[in-house]
Amino acid sequence: MENSNNVYFRNNKERYMTSQTASFWDKQAKGYAAKPVKDVQSYEEMLAEVAKHLEPTDKVLEIGCGTGSTAVRMAEFVSNWTASDISAEMINIAKGKTAPETAHFLVADANSEFAEAPFDKVCAFHILHLVPDPQQTIKSIFDQLKPGGLFLSKTVCPGEMGLLPKLILPLMNMFGVAPPTLHFLKVTELETAVKAAGFDIIERRFFGKGKSSPYFVAQRPA
């Protein structure tokens, strides 16, 4: 049984990191919203693949939705798209966009328990390497899916990018231009975490030339 003092300090640390993360992304929100998509072709290919797995009756959760660009595009294909982000400023920008009536934006961290659960699909794009505990977040996603439901994810794996990111990250943190948490995940580590949460990986691929951002479709067993 975990020591009560350990639980107290762990919970305080998690609350502190959540606050720091929200503050960081609040400051980044306007600049983030103004940046164009780096690889438009890969982004469009990913959206097309995601759309293949969506049904008109689906309830979908998206964690780490940022300023809502994906939700605005994909919500028309489902009955409800709940798009969440830890940053209130990001969500404010998302709410200002023209979106289908099926899109709903709210402030919440990646491990929140959502009232709309269980969901038919959960999406997490470019977020799992930024959460405090990727394994915990993946397990939370598993728990909020219906049996047979799908987890769709495209995740940056900085561990595949060589030594340079690890060397410059401390300097970036010093100047406040890097997220408070960033995990140097490798593709194999991400696969292992997804499987350990109870998922069956039914599809995996890469978009574009880069091999550091795998796209997964994983299913909660029926």
Side-chain angles (χ1 to χ4, degrees):
M1 186 174 181
E2 190 171 4
N3 183 283
S4 59
N5 286 334
N6 290 341
V7 172
Y8 173 81
F9 287 116
R10 175 168 54 80
N11 289 344
N12 277 352
K13 181 179 179 181
E14 289 177 357
R15 283 193 290 269
Y16 173 77
M17 290 308 302
T18 297
S19 175
Q20 290 292 99
T21 300
S23 177
F24 174 83
W25 290 111
D26 281 344
K27 294 174 183 176
Q28 300 292 320
K30 288 184 179 180
Y32 179 89
K35 288 181 181 178
V37 176
K38 286 185 178 180
D39 188 338
V40 175
Q41 182 177 345
S42 293
Y43 180 61
E44 294 296 333
E45 288 177 1
M46 185 196 76
L47 293 187
E49 287 298 315
V50 171
K52 291 178 182 179
H53 294 286
L54 301 178
E55 302 291 340
T57 57
D58 279 348
K59 285 195 307 179
V60 180
L61 168 66
E62 181 187 2
I63 63 171
C65 72
T67 56
S69 298
T70 298
V72 167
R73 293 282 301 276
M74 306 307 290
E76 65 176 304
F77 297 110
V78 300
S79 66
N80 184 82
W81 187 288
T82 298
S84 66
D85 197 277
I86 197 171
S87 166
E89 291 300 320
M90 293 277 193
I91 292 298
N92 284 338
I93 294 172
K95 288 180 176 179
K97 294 182 177 181
T98 301
E101 292 183 357
T102 51
H104 306 282
F105 298 99
L106 56 88
V107 179
D109 69 51
N111 295 340
S112 296
E113 294 182 9
F114 293 86
E116 296 83 0
F119 296 93
D120 299 286
K121 313 283 163 57
V122 176
C123 298
F125 304 123
H126 302 293
I127 183 64
L128 293 179
H129 64 302
L130 298 174
V131 298
D133 186 338
Q135 182 68 70
Q136 182 181 356
T137 297
I138 295 169
K139 184 63 172 67
S140 174
I141 290 169
F142 182 92
D143 292 340
Q144 296 192 85
L145 271 170
K146 295 177 181 179
L150 297 181
F151 170 36
L152 301 98
S153 173
K154 185 171 184 284
T155 300
V156 178
C157 290
E160 304 289 350
M161 298 178 182
L163 189 60
L164 184 60
K166 289 185 179 180
L167 294 177
I168 65 174
L169 182 63
L171 187 62
M172 293 174 69
N173 278 328
M174 187 183 303
F175 288 97
V177 294
T181 57
L182 193 155
H183 298 278
F184 286 87
L185 291 173
K186 293 190 174 183
V187 175
T188 53
E189 293 171 343
L190 180 61
E191 271 197 56
T192 298
V194 171
K195 292 176 180 178
F199 284 107
D200 297 321
I201 296 176
I202 61 174
E203 184 179 337
R204 56 169 69 76
R205 62 168 294 182
F206 295 91
F207 299 105
K209 297 180 180 179
K211 301 300 179 184
S212 60
S213 298
Y215 168 80
F216 287 101
V217 179
Q219 185 171 42
R220 174 171 175 162

